[in-house]
Amino acid sequence: MRAELLSCVLFFGCVLALPGLWKRDAPFEEVKTRLDWNHQDAEHDEPDKYFHEANFHPHYDGRFGDKKLKYEERMSHLAALIQTYLSSMNDVGAETWIMHGTLLGWWWNRQIMPWDTDLDVMVSEATIHYLAEYYNMTLHHYHLPGLETGRDYLLEINPHYSNDEIDGANHIDARWIDTETGLFIDITTLRRNKTAQSHGEADAMMVKDKHHYMYDDIFPLRASVFEGIPAKIPFAYAELLIEEYGELALSSVFYQNHRFQPEKQEWKPLSCRDYGTCDQLHGSGNGVNLPAESEESSAAPGWLQKLRSAAREDGLPRAVGLDGKLFEYSKLLTRPIRSLRWSN
Amino acid sequence: MEKSRDGDNDEQPLGELQAELTAELSKPLDWRAAAEESKQHEKSNRIPASVSPLRSEHTAWPSRHGGYVRQGGPLIDQVTNSWRTEEKASAYYVSVTDEEQDLRCYGPGDEDTCPTGSRGLVRSRRFRGMIAVVLAIALFAWYGWRCYLPLRREWDDKLGFLPSSVNGTYGLARGGDFDGTAIKWLHHSLVPGGKSDPEGKRRLIFVGDIHGCKDELLHLLHKVSFNSETDHLIPTGDVISKGPDNAGVLDELIRLNAESVRGNHEDRILALAKTSSTPHLDSQTPATTSKGSSKDHKLLTHLKPHHMRYLRSMPLMLRIPALPYTSTSSPTWLSNSKHHDRITEDIIVVHAGLVPHLPLPKQDPYFVMNMRSIDHITHIPSALRQTKKGKSKPWSKVWNWYNDRLAHGRSLKNFHLYTSEEHEAEQAEVQESWVDRFWYFALGRRQPRHRQEKPEVVVYGHDSKAGLQLRRWSKGLDSGCVGGGKLTALVLDARGRTEVVQVGCRDWK
């Protein structure tokens, strides 16, 4: 991947200059790319909330996205998102590491888990100050393999980042936003927990979203790879994952309608083959990996159209029975699948 | 008889009067016999009047021998209408249940006053029958429980190895990375009793967590009369941090050609050395980092490039093949049953622990250097001794259970599989007909198992709180030297004999 820092567009103006007005994210008119109107839902948010999510899904930015992406599209866009973020941060020398669901994906196979719709990374306090001072509202232009046109990614810092207090509306300190689709990465800052430190817990750290950590569980960071790009991992990664998700999250190969194939090291959506019920269903797929819509779109049988419209919604693995009923694979699951599948 | 109740009739003037009367009457008679008899009955038949005032009216009582107590005085004086009441009294006696009789004897200080009651109880057939039934039931329940417990325990231990309990297990995910040689075999020239040691003079000296305690290390080496010609030193990791002379310990280990595995503290130092970009390490104070981290930064300034090279060369696991002398000189059953202090199998040296049944390359490096317990169902390890859910066991316990099973040749059927080759082999085995199995049996060929596994001994450190932990298949050597405990060495000779040698340590913490 060829990374280019094409332009550093700095938007001052509205963010800090006008006293008496709420700080809010860059206005739609100034940052819009392909959309004609704003899909944000700012009226329903708290008045001093800086970032506003899209009205159709909380993991999209309504200034750039107008619809939820389909399963496979979303996977490739999210992968590009983290790849561009990690390489940009590597380039500017910003200390960042992956956390939460993204770290769990790293543990399983160094990739984003396909059912994830957002990504989580953390930065240190020094880094957020550095990014805010030099890289706020910068656009990073990337030419990605497989995409004909280049794409811009926006780094937007929440001006509340300098406030150490717990702030429910502004616990996200910055976002890395795909200006084509509206997908984004939440960036949070690991801070010193001053309350705990005043009570004698010298190594206590916190994040504004109320997560708590010990300094030595995060630092020194380990070097690894995520989605093919060098990435940093917290030192006690396994302990953090158990603490947050429990032991089963590190061992169970069935999760969120997906099955992990140990041989291929891949999460695959469940299909009728996992249940041996293919003869009771239309088609033998899983309602996720459907044939492209362009071919015979209107001539498609009813069950296929049903599956397509459902997949457009959220991309969960579904099937249509011979009686024409649409259902999710998870509903089919009366008891857990007991054996691993080693070949597919 | 009346006399015998004298003392108890304080509250009954009528009884008192009666007693006086009888005492006077008995004087001219054979008082000796009466006194003797009454003495006897004082013990056996004395009944508090307050408990049964009814009886104070009776003048005669059935004695212990079934007859009547002979009273003093002329016989004529003894004649009463007692036959009338006597029938009633005895009828009363018969109707009194065992319990009631027992109750009457329950006053404090009265334990030895009613032997007839408890004897009656023992003599009662119904009661004896009941006791026998209760005893039989209790015995049966106890026996059943005793039979059930090991089965239950066995099932509990087995649960974590079976795919039927949960969807998946530890080791299927990719897990963490290790930047270095993860698995290293001990060089064959260093194996006691190996080709380069036909006389079997070589020894392996395993040492628990040293933590920079150089003086203690030198003292220990002196105590085991370390000879660099024939002895090979293998520390179990955590040779640095916390203690007084980390660089000194590293120099000593390098000089002796010692081969340590990587511990969590070496891992931390190496990760720190990679990430710290600031050349002025003195600026890393606890205020900006943490107490442990600023100490590590300070330690990093004392370490020279050759120290860092040595730290980087430490493998995650060091494997030692079964010593040649032990496999030829003694049958395995001997070593299995009685000689627990001998090591005749392959040895793996790690810092913290291993999860049984999981192939070594799939063990997550973080846990190999940090684990203390493992979850009993998912087998996910933890650095804690007990996890939040409280369903974890010490890893060494599970390791010993599994290796005992291997040593006894017990089946691993239905245990977790980790690769498709294992899966295919098992499928082939399942499809094998009983005729094939019969031929395997008849021809004396062993049934093909899906994985040829041998029991292995793990030598480890890390758990100083647990202290010295010597089990059949695991040898925990961290006895907390840096905190004022002991520094432990396990000396292994070419015949597989082991000896534990310890020296005391100063408290450096």
Side-chain angles (χ1 to χ4, degrees):
Chain A
M1 191 198 310
R2 189 165 60 94
E4 284 174 18
L5 196 65
L6 192 77
S7 55
C8 297
V9 190
L10 298 169
F11 294 87
F12 297 109
C14 67
V15 179
L16 293 166
L18 299 175
L21 288 182
W22 296 114
K23 299 168 189 170
R24 61 157 299 168
D25 54 351
F28 173 67
E29 293 73 26
E30 292 178 25
V31 295
K32 71 173 187 174
T33 49
R34 59 186 180 85
L35 299 185
D36 292 329
W37 65 82
N38 194 351
H39 289 264
Q40 281 177 321
D41 201 6
E43 287 73 34
H44 291 97
D45 287 332
E46 291 169 54
D48 61 342
K49 185 168 158 55
Y50 182 78
F51 287 120
H52 299 287
E53 287 78 28
N55 49 19
F56 56 88
H57 193 280
H59 290 157
Y60 291 82
D61 189 323
R63 292 170 298 174
F64 308 105
D66 56 349
K67 62 173 192 303
K68 280 189 263 184
L69 295 173
K70 285 202 288 179
Y71 180 85
E72 294 218 310
E73 271 184 324
R74 188 185 68 214
M75 272 172 68
S76 65
H77 284 296
L78 280 177
L81 194 64
I82 192 80
Q83 286 167 340
T84 53
Y85 171 77
L86 289 173
S87 59
S88 298
M89 293 302 119
N90 287 343
D91 286 350
V92 303
E95 187 175 53
T96 184
W97 60 95
I98 55 177
M99 280 304 272
H100 308 304
T102 312
L103 185 62
L104 189 59
W106 170 87
W107 157 270
W108 276 96
N109 61 356
R110 306 286 185 271
Q111 285 172 17
I112 299 165
M113 293 183 293
W115 58 86
D116 250 2
T117 51
D118 72 335
L119 299 166
D120 291 291
V121 298
M122 271 193 203
V123 293
S124 52
E125 269 180 292
T127 305
I128 195 70
H129 283 99
Y130 169 62
L131 291 178
E133 277 162 36
Y134 296 100
Y135 293 96
N136 189 13
M137 297 309 289
T138 52
L139 279 173
H140 301 252
H141 189 77
Y142 279 87
H143 283 283
L144 298 165
L147 285 178
E148 291 195 358
T149 56
R151 183 172 293 178
D152 288 330
Y153 293 90
L154 174 67
L155 178 66
E156 186 168 5
I157 313 286
N158 185 340
H160 296 90
Y161 79 91
S162 50
N163 176 14
D164 280 344
E165 302 302 311
I166 296 241
D167 180 350
N170 290 299
H171 57 260
I172 306 297
D173 292 304
R175 266 186 188 156
W176 178 261
I177 308 163
D178 178 346
T179 60
E180 284 295 308
T181 63
L183 287 168
F184 54 76
I185 299 176
D186 280 334
I187 304 168
T188 48
T189 309
L190 185 69
R191 301 157 193 276
R192 307 205 72 79
N193 187 345
K194 285 175 183 141
T195 335
Q197 286 182 350
S198 62
H199 286 90
E201 279 188 62
D203 303 343
M205 310 291 283
M206 57 158 257
V207 178
K208 277 197 200 170
D209 57 7
K210 294 178 189 165
H211 280 97
H212 293 266
Y213 303 97
M214 295 306 282
Y215 182 92
D216 291 331
D217 284 348
I218 306 285
F219 299 108
L221 296 170
R222 294 172 186 271
S224 185
V225 167
F226 189 65
E227 289 286 353
I229 306 291
K232 292 277 169 32
I233 307 299
F235 187 82
Y237 55 88
E239 297 296 325
L240 295 176
L241 286 174
I242 293 175
E243 173 86 21
E244 191 167 355
Y245 300 106
E247 281 88 359
L248 280 178
L250 302 192
S251 65
S252 181
V253 292
F254 292 99
Y255 203 63
Q256 295 268 344
N257 290 312
H258 285 71
R259 172 173 49 81
F260 187 74
Q261 292 178 304
E263 282 297 282
K264 294 185 180 170
Q265 296 271 302
E266 254 181 293
W267 288 99
K268 284 283 179 194
L270 292 175
S271 79
C272 54
R273 277 165 299 191
D274 293 304
Y275 300 93
T277 54
C278 288
D279 52 341
Q280 299 161 28
L281 301 171
H282 280 298
S284 59
N286 46 38
V288 169
N289 303 307
L290 294 168
E293 265 187 85
S294 55
E295 25 175 297
E296 30 109 33
S297 61
S298 57
W303 64 266
L304 186 56
Q305 288 181 2
K306 258 188 190 175
L307 271 183
R308 273 181 181 153
S309 61
R312 218 172 286 136
E313 275 296 304
D314 50 19
L316 283 179
R318 285 194 176 84
V320 175
L322 292 178
D323 55 356
K325 273 186 189 161
L326 179 85
F327 56 86
E328 271 176 42
Y329 269 100
S330 58
K331 304 277 158 51
L332 200 68
L333 200 71
T334 49
R335 62 189 174 83
I337 302 173
R338 294 297 188 192
S339 64
L340 291 178
R341 282 162 53 92
W342 291 97
S343 50
N344 198 14
Chain B
M1 181 68 213
E2 295 296 333
K3 212 175 185 179
S4 70
R5 281 202 258 126
D6 274 356
D8 298 314
N9 283 354
D10 302 338
E11 294 162 16
Q12 288 204 339
L14 186 70
E16 236 174 71
L17 285 172
Q18 241 177 341
E20 277 172 22
L21 191 68
T22 43
E24 267 177 83
L25 284 170
S26 66
K27 263 178 195 167
L29 274 180
D30 185 4
W31 56 274
R32 256 188 206 175
E36 259 175 35
E37 277 210 352
S38 67
K39 250 184 206 169
Q40 257 183 16
H41 292 286
E42 200 165 28
K43 270 197 174 174
S44 58
N45 276 5
R46 192 173 55 144
I47 295 157
S50 54
V51 175
S52 54
L54 241 184
R55 235 143 281 159
S56 62
E57 288 168 8
H58 307 322
T59 49
W61 288 85
S63 82
R64 188 207 257 177
H65 311 288
Y68 289 99
V69 181
R70 200 173 65 83
Q71 298 294 315
L75 271 177
I76 191 68
D77 291 329
Q78 299 288 314
V79 175
T80 60
N81 282 341
S82 69
W83 57 272
R84 285 186 185 169
T85 51
E86 185 239 311
E87 209 171 359
K88 274 186 199 165
S90 57
Y92 179 82
Y93 248 90
V94 170
S95 71
V96 169
T97 62
D98 295 339
E99 271 179 23
E100 276 176 275
Q101 205 169 13
D102 234 339
L103 267 178
R104 273 189 279 111
C105 304
Y106 257 117
D110 280 349
E111 288 94 358
D112 54 346
T113 58
C114 344
T116 42
S118 47
R119 287 210 183 183
L121 206 66
V122 172
R123 279 182 190 171
S124 150
R125 269 194 183 181
R126 211 174 65 184
F127 182 77
R128 276 188 290 183
M130 255 161 59
I131 289 283
V133 168
V134 167
L135 273 180
I137 290 175
L139 198 73
F140 188 73
W142 177 78
Y143 186 72
W145 183 245
R146 281 290 299 268
C147 289
Y148 165 75
L149 261 189
L151 286 178
R152 170 69 198 268
R153 220 172 283 149
E154 168 87 1
W155 173 247
D156 250 21
D157 289 334
K158 213 173 160 182
L159 211 57
F161 294 94
L162 301 178
S164 55
S165 53
V166 273
N167 288 325
T169 185
Y170 174 61
L172 296 173
R174 174 139 169 209
D177 309 305
F178 188 78
D179 54 332
T181 316
I183 304 170
K184 185 178 175 188
W185 281 90
L186 185 73
H187 195 266
H188 59 80
S189 64
L190 301 170
V191 176
K195 272 178 193 162
S196 50
D197 179 35
E199 290 169 38
K201 279 186 176 171
R202 295 202 66 90
R203 297 188 302 172
L204 296 178
I205 320 275
F206 303 97
V207 177
D209 300 21
I210 300 166
H211 280 301
C213 300
K214 191 185 175 188
D215 294 344
E216 284 83 354
L217 175 66
L218 293 177
H219 183 194
L220 184 67
L221 291 177
H222 177 75
K223 201 169 172 186
V224 301
S225 40
F226 189 86
N227 174 358
S228 51
E229 294 284 304
T230 57
D231 296 340
H232 187 53
L233 182 62
I234 304 177
T236 60
D238 276 6
V239 299
I240 51 165
S241 298
K242 296 184 183 176
D245 190 2
N246 299 296
V249 165
L250 285 176
D251 282 330
E252 193 61 29
L253 295 182
I254 292 168
R255 190 179 69 80
L256 295 171
N257 236 337
E259 225 171 339
S260 174
V261 290
R262 194 191 287 187
N264 51 321
H265 280 96
E266 286 90 7
D267 198 39
R268 208 171 258 283
I269 287 288
L270 288 171
L272 193 65
K274 261 191 181 175
T275 57
S276 61
S277 47
T278 40
H280 303 293
L281 295 165
D282 294 336
S283 64
Q284 305 285 351
T285 60
T288 57
T289 60
S290 74
K291 210 173 150 194
S293 181
S294 66
K295 274 186 186 170
D296 286 347
H297 274 107
K298 210 172 149 193
L299 168 58
L300 209 50
T301 58
H302 291 125
L303 297 182
K304 303 277 177 307
H306 71 278
H307 293 137
M308 297 309 291
R309 247 195 326 276
Y310 183 71
L311 290 178
R312 268 193 292 275
S313 75
M314 291 179 174
L316 183 64
M317 312 172 195
L318 181 68
R319 301 193 65 177
I320 301 161
L323 305 184
Y325 268 41
T326 58
S327 52
T328 52
S329 61
S330 74
T332 46
W333 58 266
L334 192 74
S335 59
N336 276 351
S337 56
K338 285 176 185 171
H339 296 255
H340 277 217
D341 51 343
R342 290 191 71 203
I343 300 180
T344 56
E345 300 80 11
D346 282 24
I347 299 168
I348 311 170
V349 187
V350 293
H351 177 59
L354 292 170
V355 173
H357 191 59
L358 180 66
L360 294 185
K362 288 189 178 281
Q363 304 266 354
D364 188 279
Y366 175 80
F367 285 129
V368 174
M369 294 181 280
N370 288 279
M371 77 168 75
R372 287 195 180 90
S373 64
I374 66 179
D375 185 76
H376 89 297
I377 291 186
T378 61
H379 276 192
I380 298 282
S382 170
L384 306 170
R385 276 177 191 82
Q386 185 58 266
T387 54
K388 268 190 192 167
K389 276 196 203 158
K391 284 185 177 173
S392 56
K393 295 177 189 171
W395 74 268
S396 58
K397 214 174 160 186
V398 187
W399 178 269
N400 277 278
W401 179 87
Y402 178 75
N403 281 281
D404 268 340
R405 201 179 168 90
L406 287 181
H408 291 111
R410 293 185 62 191
S411 146
L412 302 182
K413 206 178 165 196
N414 294 332
F415 277 32
H416 275 296
L417 305 172
Y418 296 98
T419 62
S420 57
E421 289 87 52
E422 286 177 2
H423 178 70
E424 277 156 25
E426 200 191 57
Q427 286 301 310
E429 199 179 327
V430 168
Q431 281 156 13
E432 212 170 74
S433 70
W434 63 270
V435 183
D436 293 333
R437 287 183 199 191
F438 175 76
W439 280 114
Y440 280 131
F441 180 74
L443 297 173
R445 271 163 61 186
R446 285 190 68 185
Q447 282 199 16
R449 291 238 305 265
H450 63 270
R451 208 200 300 175
Q452 293 295 330
E453 278 199 81
K454 292 176 293 178
E456 288 159 313
V457 175
V458 172
V459 178
Y460 67 103
H462 189 59
D463 204 352
S464 62
K465 263 194 195 157
L468 186 66
Q469 293 277 309
L470 299 178
R471 297 180 188 227
R472 175 69 184 91
W473 304 107
S474 63
K475 314 280 176 192
L477 302 184
D478 186 3
S479 39
C481 178
V482 76
K486 286 174 176 170
L487 188 63
T488 303
L490 183 77
V491 184
L492 177 71
D493 71 6
R495 306 210 173 269
R497 286 174 303 211
T498 60
E499 188 193 352
V500 172
V501 181
Q502 292 185 316
V503 294
C505 303
R506 256 179 71 185
D507 189 352
W508 295 102
K509 267 187 180 173

